[in-house]
């Protein structure tokens, strides 16, 4: 079968990444051909990021824009998407890198399969150490239909909520927007996409080098971070289509409950007892109901895991 020629827009939001943005853009320009164009938006950076990306304005395949004021990652991605016109969209973060030969692999698979969404593996950069991350369970180089939550279930099993290791047909995501003003926008975005019907495929190759940068926010969690984090997963629960595959729904509840306990443990580890008590008091009722459901429906080994985590949490809470 003859390959269908496609076009692709690579969208890069930029904010205060002077140490990384040039390497990111250069890794892309070293690989792309005439099918691709890059759109960059500076979200009112306060470091030298703006002057760095200014130097790419003369490149024939690059367009550079400035946001009127700092609007955040979600709003910048939405603005970039509104300017895109290509068949496919690839959101890439400005502190990450395009993996070697990733572009040609992506284009080849999209032209061969005509997939609506392509998911791929990635490599995590931890300092100088590279760790390959598998981001899909199933057969590679084959189209699958997103029915009965299959796309979202795969994401849940792999914890692969990132948008940057996926490439989307523009028409499929035309009416989907990143939710502005909230953290964990990728989790919300993946949930919204999963409500649509489309064909998706898996490319069993890394396409992104993801730079792990542990922010101070993990060392001193605040109320907005916690509320946004838990909202992202409760939003997923509330929007999960439950026509069939009840076991998958219960597995989702299991994963979300584990995240909730992990968050409380992180707050305790950070030495924030008052915040721990406030968070527990606010969310205890909702997550207790989840626990009652999953503790009846899950396999024994998963119930045992939750019971162990619950016992540990109770001992932590005794001290506040």
């Amino acid at each position: 079968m003859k390959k269908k020629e496609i076009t692709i827009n690579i969208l890069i939001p930029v904010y205060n990444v002077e140490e990384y943005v040039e390497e990111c853009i250069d890794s892309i320009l070293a690989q792309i051909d005439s099918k691709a164009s890059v759109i960059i938006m500076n979200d009112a950076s306060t470091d030298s990021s703006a002057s760095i990306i200014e130097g790419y304005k003369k490149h024939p395949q690059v367009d550079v824009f400035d946001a009127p004021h700092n609007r955040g990652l979600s709003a910048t991605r939405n603005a970039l998407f509104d300017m895109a016109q290509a068949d496919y969209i690839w959101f890439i973060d400005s502190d990450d890198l395009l993996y070697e030969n990733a572009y040609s692999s992506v284009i080849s698979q999209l032209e061969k399969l005509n997939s609506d969404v392509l998911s791929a593996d990635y490599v995590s950069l931890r300092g100088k150490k590279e760790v390959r991350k598998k981001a899909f369970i199933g057969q590679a180089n084959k189209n699958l239909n997103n029915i009965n939550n299959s796309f979202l279930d795969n994401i849940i099993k792999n914890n692969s909520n990132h948008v940057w290791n996926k490439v989307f047909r523009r028409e499929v995501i035309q009416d989907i927007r990143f939710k502005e003003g909230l953290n964990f926008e990728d989790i919300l975005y993946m949930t919204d996409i999963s409500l649509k019907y489309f064909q998706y495929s898996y490319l069993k190759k890394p396409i992104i080098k993801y730079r792990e940068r542990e922010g101070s926010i993990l060392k001193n969690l605040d109320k907005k971070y916690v509320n946004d984090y838990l909202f992202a997963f409760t939003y997923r629960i509330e929007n999960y289509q439950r026509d069939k595959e009840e076991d998958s729904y219960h597995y989702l509840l299991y994963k979300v409950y584990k995240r909730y306990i992990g968050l409380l443990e992180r707050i305790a580890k950070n030495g924030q007892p008052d915040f721990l008590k406030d968070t527990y008091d606010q969310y205890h009722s909702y997550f207790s109901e989840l626990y009652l459901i999953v503790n009846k429906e899950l396999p024994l080994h998963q119930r045992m895991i939750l019971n162990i985590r619950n016992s540990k949490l109770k001992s932590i809470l005794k001290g506040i």
Side-chain angles (χ1 to χ4, degrees):
M1 185 174 71
K2 185 180 179 181
K3 290 183 179 180
K4 181 183 183 295
E5 292 241 330
I6 62 171
T7 57
I8 185 167
N9 285 143
I10 297 172
L11 308 183
I12 308 176
V14 172
Y15 180 70
N16 286 0
V17 282
E18 60 185 5
E19 295 180 55
Y20 311 111
V21 65
E22 185 174 8
E23 190 178 10
C24 169
I25 297 170
D26 287 348
S27 73
I28 296 167
L29 295 181
Q31 295 189 38
I32 62 173
D33 56 21
S34 60
K35 302 182 186 74
S37 60
V38 181
I39 310 177
I40 306 169
M41 180 170 286
N42 168 41
D43 188 28
S45 296
T46 58
D47 64 1
S48 63
S49 296
S51 61
I52 293 171
I53 63 177
E54 184 80 13
Y56 291 92
K57 281 189 173 180
K58 293 183 179 180
H59 194 286
Q61 290 169 270
V62 178
D63 289 308
V64 178
F65 299 90
D66 290 307
H69 55 85
N70 179 253
R71 298 182 292 187
L73 177 60
S74 291
T76 306
R77 282 175 172 171
N78 289 338
L80 284 164
F81 179 78
D82 288 340
M83 291 185 283
Q85 297 182 338
D87 300 322
Y88 285 92
I89 302 297
W90 191 351
F91 297 100
I92 295 181
D93 288 347
S94 51
D95 55 351
D96 294 337
L97 300 167
L98 202 62
Y99 195 81
E100 293 83 358
N101 301 313
Y103 173 78
S104 60
S105 298
V106 166
I107 291 296
S108 176
Q109 178 144 314
L110 290 175
E111 289 182 338
K112 178 183 177 183
L113 297 180
N114 199 31
S115 306
D116 297 314
V117 178
L118 178 149
S119 295
D121 296 336
Y122 63 95
V123 165
S124 179
L125 290 176
R126 300 173 183 173
K128 294 183 179 180
K129 185 179 180 181
E130 295 188 3
V131 180
R132 180 162 173 168
K133 297 284 189 175
K134 184 175 174 62
F136 194 87
I137 296 173
Q139 185 177 343
N141 200 33
K142 174 185 177 182
N143 271 333
L144 302 168
N145 296 320
N146 181 37
I147 54 176
N148 297 332
N149 302 295
S150 64
F151 179 73
L152 185 56
D153 286 342
N154 211 296
I155 286 173
I156 293 166
K157 291 173 184 175
N158 281 284
N159 296 319
S160 179
N161 290 291
H162 316 294
V163 296
W164 36 255
N165 72 320
K166 300 171 183 70
V167 181
F168 307 94
R169 189 186 301 277
R170 183 169 56 87
E171 291 178 358
V172 170
I173 59 172
Q174 188 67 47
D175 60 347
I176 300 176
R177 289 293 182 270
F178 290 93
K179 290 179 170 50
E180 299 179 14
L182 295 173
N183 297 305
F184 308 102
E185 57 284 322
D186 286 10
I187 297 170
L188 298 163
Y189 196 79
M190 287 297 108
T191 300
D192 287 340
I193 287 175
S194 72
L195 301 176
K196 290 178 165 288
Y197 172 80
F198 53 83
Q199 290 191 318
Y200 60 99
S201 64
Y202 167 47
L203 175 63
K204 195 177 180 179
K205 294 181 180 179
I207 62 172
I208 288 289
K209 288 185 179 181
Y210 164 63
R211 201 184 302 272
E212 288 194 26
R213 294 193 290 151
E214 183 177 353
S216 60
I217 194 167
L218 292 177
K219 299 174 184 176
N220 188 25
L221 302 177
D222 60 22
K223 189 172 182 62
K224 176 171 172 50
Y225 178 96
V226 166
N227 287 344
D228 287 357
Y229 182 79
L230 295 178
F231 172 74
F233 290 106
T234 55
Y235 180 86
R236 175 163 290 177
I237 290 171
E238 290 160 9
N239 287 276
Y240 192 86
Q241 300 178 49
R242 295 182 59 190
D243 295 337
K244 295 180 181 179
E245 302 295 337
E246 288 295 312
D247 287 346
S248 296
Y249 176 70
H250 295 140
Y251 183 73
L252 167 61
L253 301 188
Y254 165 74
K255 293 292 289 282
V256 171
Y257 189 77
K258 280 182 64 181
R259 287 181 177 273
Y260 166 67
I261 292 182
L263 181 66
L264 294 179
E265 290 174 345
R266 168 62 69 173
I267 296 171
K269 186 177 181 181
N270 286 356
Q272 298 172 276
D274 292 340
F275 187 35
L276 174 62
K277 184 178 185 306
D278 289 344
T279 303
Y280 179 78
D281 289 345
Q282 179 179 350
Y283 289 101
H284 173 67
S285 177
Y286 180 89
F287 283 95
S288 290
E289 290 184 18
L290 291 195
Y291 177 74
L292 291 175
I293 294 171
V294 297
N295 209 34
K296 289 190 299 184
E297 302 294 342
L298 286 174
L300 177 61
H301 72 282
Q302 290 175 342
R303 297 204 308 271
M304 290 178 64
I305 290 171
L306 288 191
N307 288 332
I308 292 170
R309 297 290 294 274
N310 263 343
S311 296
K312 183 179 178 182
L313 178 61
K314 286 178 181 178
S315 66
I316 292 171
L317 291 169
K318 284 181 181 178
I320 62 174

